[in-house]
Amino acid sequence: MARHARQPRESAEGGEERGPSHRWWVLGVIGLAQLMVVLDATIVNIALPSAQQALGFSNGNRQWIVTAYALAFGSLLLLGGRIADLVGRRVVFLTGLVGFAVASAIGGGAPSFEVLVVARALQGMFGALLAPAALSLLTTTFTVPKERAKAFGIYGAIAGAGGAVGLLLGGVLTEYLNWRWCLYVNLLFALVAFLGGWRLLDAGAPADRPKLDIPGTVLVSAGLFCIVFGFSRAETHPWSSPDTWGFLLAGAVLVAAFAWWQTRAAHPLLPMRVVLDRDRAASFLAMFISGGGLFGVFLFLTYFLQKSLFYSPVSTGLAFLPMIAVMIVTSVTTTNVLVPRLGAKPIVPLGMGLAAGGMVWLTTLDLNSTYLAHVLPPLICLGLGLGMIFATAMNLATAGVSPRDAGVASAMVNTSQQVGGSIGTALLNTLATSAAANYLVGRRPTPAAVAQAQLESYSTAYWWSAGFFAVGLLVTVILYRRGVPKSHPVEEPAPVRT
């Protein structure tokens, strides 16, 4: 093999490390793939009313367009991460891209409700391959501390802001083209990411392949499925219904059995060395809690802007742009300047506190609120808080992980955020609906009373979201270690090629 001036080194997946400029192209490819997965949840929500009218499905069935994706994605993420460790991150990344694109094309052209649900489940399945492969590629590509901090700052901003980007893009596509383009747009994202990944990412299987833990895979996949499904059922069934608590109980038992099995399996799916590190455990919990609280912003503030202040879908998306900008700047600044000097312990709890404060601020909104005076300030506060949380937690959740565990550690990050988001959505929806119904008890359902009931429901969701972030503040203060994170040795060079 010919040697270049920089003496390229062999990567852990059998490739070579090239110039550092290539790493930033890799970040672009990985970031685009992550954006496609993250924004898909909210972009489809914007398209739902139009899709329902076009395909003629009922309000009761509407939730399955969202739930089908969440079930497949949330329950298969850990398996997807381990497959990336077993087969190779490049091939799993490219396979996930192609599968996600094909599923999006099927959904975009769906002639019926049933086909659309199947397409959404396929999107979730291939997303469960794509998301952990993307993050583990980032983990193994950027091993120099300064470069890693900058890369995770950008990646964390994408992960946190993707939902708001989906609202804006979904609004534009639905308003000016057709709801089907909210799915077709993934073909463009996937094509660009695939061509970049094919060119830049290194081929080859991992040098040190772990073996697949079949019992653990079955237990955790079934357990996560039951948990996500149980909380999804809570949106349309009472908590006392066996369809709700039965699945939640079964999921808890299966996940507990999975945790027990991981301490005894010869080749565990999720080795305890990955989750027992204090900083890493704190980061997983931070992603879980903030994932649940974040939906209080995107979901209920979207409804408030459209239903109470009568914003168009495009205007609603534009309203979130300042928060996205602040989140990006904060993410990059936090990981490059603050965490290297102060460590995660003051940064993530501060972010949780700011996010909680932003949620409490949102409870003051009413029918007379204006954007500049009342909506924008709490959004800026939330952007600051979320920017501190996401980039820092993602960085520390994968820092120091051995190459053979990079995929499953990355999957845990995505699993924490996805399951937290699913639980948060169901809880907040249920609490908000109950608040609206309770307000109307004993009142005539006049337009003014109904409008005020909606405000009560949004306020309830914001208060509970603030509570989620307050718990996150307490948890991260306790768990994160004091001081600057230790620099871990470079275990694996960047999987790029010229």
Side-chain angles (χ1 to χ4, degrees), residues 12 81-82 85 89 132 135-143 148 152 208 210 269-281 283-284 393-413 486-493:
R82 211 45 163 173
D85 292 331
R89 298 172 192 111
L135 185 53
S136 60
L137 279 166
L138 189 71
T139 299
T140 55
T141 297
F142 292 91
T143 52
R148 179 183 173 90
F152 271 88
D208 184 16
L269 176 67
L270 180 62
M272 289 297 102
R273 60 180 176 270
V274 172
V275 295
L276 291 182
D277 178 86
R278 280 181 58 182
D279 285 345
R280 202 169 294 133
S283 298
F284 292 147
M394 284 186 170
N395 192 345
L396 268 67
T398 54
V401 177
S402 65
R404 72 196 309 264
D405 294 329
V408 73
S410 302
M412 268 299 294
V413 175
K486 294 180 180 179
S487 297
H488 296 278
V490 176
E491 302 180 35
E492 180 174 26

Side-chain angles (χ1 to χ4, degrees), residues 40 106 186 192 302 373 377 410:
D40 198 70
I106 294 171
N186 288 327
V192 175
T302 296
S410 302

Side-chain angles (χ1 to χ4, degrees), residues 38 172 184 186 238 241 454:
V38 173
V172 171
Y184 286 145
N186 288 327
S241 169
Q454 290 302 310

Side-chain angles (χ1 to χ4, degrees), residues 211-470:
K211 294 183 179 180
L212 185 61
D213 173 19
I214 300 296
T217 299
V218 172
L219 285 171
V220 74
S221 297
L224 291 175
F225 179 93
C226 289
I227 289 172
V228 175
F229 185 74
F231 276 104
S232 298
R233 298 291 282 178
E235 297 181 46
T236 54
H237 293 71
W239 293 101
S240 59
S241 169
D243 284 344
T244 301
W245 65 260
F247 278 101
L248 293 175
L249 179 61
V253 170
L254 287 168
V255 170
F258 166 75
W260 170 82
W261 172 252
Q262 294 309 282
T263 63
R264 287 157 176 78
H267 304 284
L269 176 67
L270 180 62
M272 289 297 102
R273 60 180 176 270
V274 172
V275 295
L276 291 182
D277 178 86
R278 280 181 58 182
D279 285 345
R280 202 169 294 133
S283 298
F284 292 147
L285 288 171
M287 294 300 296
F288 174 82
I289 292 167
S290 57
L294 187 60
F295 277 86
V297 187
F298 291 149
L299 183 62
F300 294 98
L301 189 55
T302 296
Y303 274 100
F304 170 75
L305 293 175
Q306 292 193 19
K307 301 298 184 182
S308 299
L309 300 187
F310 305 107
Y311 282 28
S312 69
V314 174
S315 298
T316 300
L318 289 172
F320 283 98
L321 286 184
M323 187 184 81
I324 297 174
V326 171
M327 192 183 300
I328 291 172
V329 173
T330 305
S331 295
V332 175
T333 304
T334 296
T335 53
N336 283 277
V337 180
L338 299 180
V339 173
R341 296 180 180 179
L342 304 174
K345 194 175 187 72
I347 302 303
V348 177
L350 177 59
M352 292 285 184
L354 286 171
M359 286 295 183
V360 173
W361 203 340
L362 287 174
T363 64
T364 63
L365 298 178
D366 57 31
L367 297 177
N368 298 315
S369 296
T370 61
Y371 179 74
L372 289 177
H374 305 100
V375 177
L376 182 59
L379 281 180
I380 298 298
C381 185
L382 284 162
L384 287 169
L386 294 172
M388 291 181 174
I389 296 168
F390 281 113
T392 308
M394 284 186 170
N395 192 345
L396 268 67
T398 54
V401 177
S402 65
R404 72 196 309 264
D405 294 329
V408 73
S410 302
M412 268 299 294
V413 175
N414 288 282
T415 301
S416 299
Q417 186 179 14
Q418 176 64 27
V419 175
S422 298
I423 292 173
T425 301
L427 279 174
L428 294 175
N429 263 332
T430 302
L431 294 165
T433 302
S434 298
N438 291 337
Y439 180 83
L440 289 173
V441 171
R443 291 183 171 90
R444 293 179 58 190
T446 62
V450 171
Q452 188 60 39
Q454 290 302 310
L455 289 178
E456 291 292 326
S457 71
Y458 304 149
S459 180
T460 298
Y462 300 147
W463 276 114
W464 277 91
S465 294
F468 292 164
F469 285 115

